[in-house]
Amino acid sequence: KIGSSKVIDVDVRVIAASNKKLEDMANENKFRLDLFHRLSIFVIEILPLRERIEDIPILMEYFLNHFTQKMNKGILKIDEKVIEIIKGNPIPGNVRQLRNCMERAVIMCEGDTLLPEHFKMETDIYTNNQNGGPSKNESFEILDLEENERKLIRIALEKSDNNKSKAANLLNISW
């Protein structure tokens, strides 16, 4: 305990995650080498989503079920075109970006199927070259949840000619 001089034995497991190569950082003196060795007893390296494309439909289905229950919506399926569009793009924000993308789509969807137009905000960044993917010089802005909410509200207000009640209905929220 803080302030105590008595030693108490504890059995603890620490799970840590990083999107940086800690070993490289430790070798460059940008991360404590002793801490790296303490954390690297058992390393699990997870490939980025762009390198495990087969996981995308499973994750999309999971997020569809999660958000339709959370928002009490009757969306039953995802159009195959949507899955192919998303599988063909790099998804720089990995699972978190896919989750946000699915949440926005569920909010925007008024029918029982998620269609490409429900992903318009997300797929716009991917339509700047002939392959439908981003060019190598493009940078991506990964937005946080609050910024995504503000963006969705602005879009709903534009779609409803600044009618707040209609915008709220589009977003399936109360006004």
Side-chain angles (χ1 to χ4, degrees):
K1 295 180 182 180
I2 295 177
S4 174
S5 60
K6 183 179 176 187
V7 176
I8 300 173
D9 289 332
V10 293
D11 185 13
V12 177
R13 299 284 184 255
V14 175
I15 299 173
S18 176
N19 63 350
K20 308 259 189 240
K21 295 277 186 185
L22 296 183
E23 184 173 16
D24 294 344
M25 291 179 66
N27 290 332
E28 296 168 5
N29 291 325
K30 295 179 180 176
F31 190 83
R32 285 181 35 194
L33 189 58
D34 64 315
L35 181 56
F36 168 73
H37 288 302
R38 288 175 191 263
L39 291 174
S40 62
I41 294 168
F42 188 83
V43 176
I44 301 171
E45 196 163 323
I46 299 175
L47 295 172
L49 197 50
R50 68 180 170 274
E51 293 181 29
R52 43 190 181 100
I53 293 172
E54 67 279 0
D55 290 352
I56 291 174
I58 297 164
L59 288 166
M60 290 179 75
E61 193 66 37
Y62 170 80
F63 292 133
L64 174 68
N65 292 334
H66 174 76
F67 290 118
T68 53
Q69 284 181 348
K70 181 179 174 183
M71 296 176 204
N72 198 26
K73 292 192 106 176
I75 303 169
L76 304 174
K77 61 185 177 176
I78 305 167
D79 187 286
E80 280 300 316
K81 291 178 200 165
V82 169
I83 295 171
E84 292 309 310
I85 289 169
I86 292 180
K87 282 172 67 175
N89 291 295
I91 310 175
N94 284 311
V95 175
R96 188 172 294 133
Q97 182 182 6
L98 182 62
R99 180 187 189 280
N100 288 347
C101 181
M102 289 296 295
E103 183 174 13
R104 283 191 300 271
V106 169
I107 289 168
M108 299 304 285
C109 184
E110 295 176 2
D112 67 349
T113 304
L114 291 181
L115 301 169
E117 57 263 26
H118 300 126
F119 293 81
K120 178 116 175 76
M121 291 182 345
E122 191 68 22
T123 57
D124 281 350
I125 63 173
Y126 298 123
T127 57
N128 296 332
N129 71 25
Q130 297 143 349
N131 301 330
S135 69
K136 292 189 180 194
N137 296 330
E138 287 180 73
S139 62
F140 294 92
E141 182 182 3
I142 307 302
L143 305 172
D144 64 20
L145 185 58
E146 288 178 17
E147 181 60 30
N148 285 330
E149 287 177 2
R150 282 190 286 276
K151 198 171 188 179
L152 276 171
I153 291 168
R154 276 188 240 117
I155 288 170
L157 285 168
E158 286 172 17
K159 280 187 168 188
S160 64
D161 295 322
N162 288 323
N163 182 314
K164 292 177 184 173
S165 294
K166 287 181 183 177
N169 284 337
L170 279 175
L171 296 169
N172 197 29
I173 58 175
S174 59
W175 165 246

